[in-house]
């Protein structure tokens, strides 16, 4: 697909190329994921399939399959006798995961500076500029999705599939936690400042600098979320 060739997921691609219609499964997964990220479905909440299906206007079978997928992402867990429950993380869970993410992204940043083409770096710049536009509009959820796509794009530019695979697991699991790291104008501005440094380092192909920025970004993320867990 054109979106894959450009290194962008289908839901974040622009008007070039063919129109991509999401499947019902993808639409349900995206909607429930957003409800978890935004806190509409709080940690520890049991998901009643009948009620949730009515809310979304879908039957139980596709809903159940979507919930299974979100279990695989780590956003939900299956509890005996309760069904799907929004996963709760301890402070140690989050801190440990952010330490690993920081090191994975630091390595990815170093490899991206070495392996990325100029065209690929321009694609990340485009994502960054769109993210900044959402920041100026204070449109938080689209901002967050573009933010996460930038991190994923840098991982892809590492050209290391093992690194990408491990990172995807942790990034998916921590989406809600990462989202609350932007609560409040000071925290949000701090995250944006980090991203301004990231794109500058990537465009300069300064591997040491980008690696340090990405690692420090996760340390700062911990400081931004630790009191909210």
């Amino acid at each position: 697909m054109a979106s894959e060739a450009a290194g962008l997921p289908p839901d974040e691609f622009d008007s070039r190329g063919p129109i991509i219609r999401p499947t019902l499964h993808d639409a349900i997964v995206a909607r429930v994921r957003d409800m978890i990220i935004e806190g509409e479905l709080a940690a520890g909440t049991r998901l009643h399939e009948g009620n949730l299906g009515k809310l979304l206007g879908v039957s139980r079978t596709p809903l159940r399959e979507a919930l299974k997928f979100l279990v695989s992402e780590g956003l939900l867990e299956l509890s005996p006798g309760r069904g799907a429950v929004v996963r709760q993380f301890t402070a140690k869970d989050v801190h440990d995961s952010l330490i690993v993410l920081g090191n994975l992204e630091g390595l990815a940043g170093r490899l991206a500076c070495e392996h990325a083409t100029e065209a690929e770096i321009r694609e990340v710049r485009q994502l960054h500029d769109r993210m900044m536009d959402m920041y100026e509009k204070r449109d938080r959820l689209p901002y967050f999705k573009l933010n996460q796509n930038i991190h994923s794009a840098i991982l892809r530019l590492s050209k290391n599939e093992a690194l990408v695979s491990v990172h995807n697991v942790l990034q998916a699991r921590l989406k809600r936690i990462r989202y609350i790291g932007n609560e409040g104008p000071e925290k949000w501005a701090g995250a944006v400042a980090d991203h301004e440094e990231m794109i500058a380092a990537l465009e300069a192909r300064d591997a040491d600098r980008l690696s340090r920025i990405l690692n420090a970004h996760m340390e700062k993320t911990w400081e931004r979320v630790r009191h909210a867990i």
Side-chain angles (χ1 to χ4, degrees), residues 177 180-181 183 187 223-229:
I177 300 298
I180 65 176
E183 287 182 342
K187 291 180 180 179
E223 293 303 320
R224 286 191 283 264
V225 304
R226 63 186 302 176
H227 299 299
I229 301 171

Side-chain angles (χ1 to χ4, degrees), residues 171-191:
Q171 178 165 267
R173 190 176 298 169
L174 292 180
K175 284 186 184 292
R176 169 60 185 164
I177 300 298
R178 300 284 295 279
Y179 184 75
I180 65 176
N182 297 324
E183 287 182 342
E186 289 186 15
K187 291 180 180 179
W188 198 353

Side-chain angles (χ1 to χ4, degrees), residues 35-50:
M35 292 170 76
I36 294 170
I37 290 171
E38 293 190 279
E40 187 176 348
L41 295 172
T45 300
R46 173 182 174 270
L47 302 188
H48 188 283
E49 291 182 3

Side-chain angles (χ1 to χ4, degrees), residues 4-221:
E4 291 173 347
L8 298 175
D11 63 337
E12 290 301 340
F13 196 58
D14 60 19
S15 58
R16 296 168 293 175
I19 295 173
I20 299 169
R21 292 177 179 271
T23 65
L24 177 60
H25 172 82
D26 291 342
I28 299 171
V29 167
R31 177 70 183 281
V32 177
R33 186 192 289 125
D34 286 350
M35 292 170 76
I36 294 170
I37 290 171
E38 293 190 279
E40 187 176 348
L41 295 172
T45 300
R46 173 182 174 270
L47 302 188
H48 188 283
E49 291 182 3
N51 292 341
L52 186 57
K54 289 179 182 178
L55 177 65
L56 301 180
V58 298
S59 64
R60 287 198 180 195
T61 298
L63 176 60
R64 190 170 292 131
E65 291 304 311
L67 297 183
K68 287 179 181 177
F69 184 83
L70 290 168
V71 168
S72 74
E73 281 195 336
L75 289 174
L76 300 176
E77 56 188 358
L78 293 177
S79 176
R82 298 185 68 203
V85 177
V86 179
R87 185 168 179 175
Q88 289 183 297
F89 294 96
T90 67
K92 187 175 188 307
D93 290 335
V94 173
H95 193 206
D96 288 352
S97 296
L98 288 173
I99 289 171
V100 175
L101 270 180
N103 281 278
L104 293 175
E105 294 201 2
L107 175 57
R110 190 177 299 280
L111 293 172
C113 288
E114 179 180 350
H115 297 301
T117 66
E118 289 300 316
E120 288 170 334
I121 291 175
R122 285 194 296 272
E123 293 286 356
V124 180
R125 161 56 76 175
Q126 290 171 8
L127 283 173
H128 176 83
D129 290 346
R130 290 165 60 197
M131 182 192 75
M132 293 302 296
D133 184 51
M134 293 301 103
Y135 176 64
E136 292 300 323
K137 295 175 180 177
R138 297 302 188 268
D139 201 343
R140 193 169 161 213
L141 187 58
Y143 163 89
F144 176 75
K145 290 181 177 181
L146 287 163
N147 177 304
Q148 294 291 281
N149 284 338
I150 289 168
H151 286 274
S152 295
I154 291 172
L155 263 291
R156 287 194 298 274
L157 298 192
S158 74
K159 311 297 173 70
N160 186 308
E161 291 302 320
L163 188 58
V164 171
S165 179
V166 175
H167 178 270
N168 284 347
V169 171
L170 286 176
Q171 178 165 267
R173 190 176 298 169
L174 292 180
K175 284 186 184 292
R176 169 60 185 164
I177 300 298
R178 300 284 295 279
Y179 184 75
I180 65 176
N182 297 324
E183 287 182 342
E186 289 186 15
K187 291 180 180 179
W188 198 353
V192 167
D194 288 350
H195 272 263
E196 292 276 41
E197 292 187 33
M198 281 177 212
I199 191 63
L202 178 62
E203 289 176 329
R205 293 185 184 270
D206 189 333
D208 289 340
R209 182 181 169 207
L210 181 56
S211 181
R212 286 195 304 271
I213 291 167
L214 287 163
N215 208 323
H217 182 63
M218 291 304 162
E219 294 175 359
K220 293 175 187 176
T221 296

